[in-house]
Amino acid sequence: MNGCRILIVEDDPVIAGAMEAHLQSWGYRMTRVRDFQNVMEEFAHAAPQLVLLDVSLPFFNGYHWCAEIRKVSQVPILFISSAGDNMNQIMAMNMGGDDFLAKPFDLNVLSAKVQALLRRAYDFSGPAQLLPCGEAVLNVSDGTLTAGAEKLELTRNELKILQMLLENRGRIVSRESLMTRLWESDAFVDENTLTVNVTRLRKKLAEAGLGNLIHTKKGAGYLVEGSTCCCNT
């Protein structure tokens, strides 16, 4: 599981730095939250495959952020806290955490728990792929778009269109490319069929307050502007 993306949500820079350095030495790609008022924005940007989450944090505690993450993702969450009593461990599990590590801890125990969580989560199914855009998050794994309290179910074609546009944000995607992606064939498909699918997708996006997400470039294709999105390439 080397190369997996891990997000550290820990406000103690010494502890966060030690975890980051140790896990990087194992080949993991590490990101640390810097803005503890906007953890979800940094979560969306990092699109992690595992989260290391402290309980005691500025502004909102780890239980709050665990609940927020669970609204959009089933990514494994390892709670880390100096409050290692049974009540805190039970609370962490009840809020959607997958494991608990009490401070102080040995870094080798940390890496062992990380490896175990990643094996359990991803041995039989690939990690959930998240493509965030502004306040919205597209979950490619289950075909849903979450924007605030709204969670929209997308059809197979709607999902493919939005995924391709987000993956190419800032660049025009031609109608021909979208048609090939949707029907996985170079065979002729009536262009009106694509137009109908895009129209339906736009209607759903409008319900979530994202009516201006997809721009039509006449004679060229469609575009999601790069400045609209907060995710990394």
Side-chain angles (χ1 to χ4, degrees), residues 5-209:
R5 300 180 301 276
I6 298 177
L7 179 67
I8 298 174
V9 190
E10 164 64 69
D11 63 318
D12 185 318
V14 175
I15 295 174
M19 291 193 294
E20 181 178 40
H22 179 74
L23 291 172
Q24 276 179 340
S25 73
W26 280 84
Y28 298 110
R29 290 182 285 166
M30 308 301 298
T31 304
R32 288 162 59 179
V33 164
R34 308 291 181 178
D35 181 358
F36 291 95
Q37 278 187 290
N38 297 294
V39 170
M40 288 307 295
E41 289 184 18
E42 300 207 26
F43 173 83
H45 186 84
Q49 290 158 292
L50 185 143
V51 177
L52 303 176
L53 182 59
D54 190 17
V55 173
S56 299
L57 294 167
F59 306 108
F60 301 97
N61 65 27
Y63 302 134
H64 168 84
W65 293 119
C66 181
E68 291 299 299
I69 290 170
R70 283 290 172 257
K71 291 178 183 177
V72 299
S73 174
Q74 291 303 309
V75 63
I77 295 174
L78 172 58
F79 271 99
I80 296 172
S81 175
S82 55
D85 57 89
N86 288 340
M87 186 55 67
N88 272 281
Q89 294 191 39
I90 291 168
M91 175 72 78
M93 299 304 109
N94 286 342
M95 293 302 294
D98 296 278
D99 203 347
F100 191 100
L101 183 59
K103 300 176 184 175
F105 53 83
D106 187 298
L107 288 170
N108 291 316
V109 174
L110 171 67
S111 52
K113 281 185 173 284
V114 164
Q115 290 173 30
L117 275 176
L118 289 171
R119 279 197 304 270
R120 288 207 305 266
Y122 302 127
D123 265 358
F124 301 105
S125 62
Q129 185 180 355
L130 302 178
L131 290 173
C133 197
E135 296 299 315
V137 178
L138 175 66
N139 189 327
V140 177
S141 299
D142 64 7
T144 61
L145 180 75
T146 302
E150 293 284 336
K151 187 169 186 177
L152 306 176
E153 300 284 341
L154 303 180
T155 66
R156 183 179 66 89
N157 283 351
E158 291 166 351
L159 172 62
K160 285 186 175 182
I161 292 168
L162 188 54
Q163 180 182 358
M164 191 168 185
L165 291 174
L166 292 180
E167 287 173 345
N168 292 277
R169 61 194 176 280
R171 298 189 294 270
I172 296 172
V173 179
S174 70
R175 292 177 61 86
E176 293 76 13
S177 296
L178 282 168
M179 290 167 69
T180 300
R181 174 77 168 264
L182 261 61
W183 291 282
E184 297 175 351
S185 166
D186 292 324
F188 176 76
V189 178
D190 187 345
E191 284 204 22
N192 287 333
T193 307
L194 174 61
T195 302
V196 169
N197 278 275
V198 172
T199 300
R200 289 175 178 166
L201 173 59
R202 279 179 162 150
K203 185 177 180 181
K204 286 188 179 179
L205 291 172
E207 293 173 11

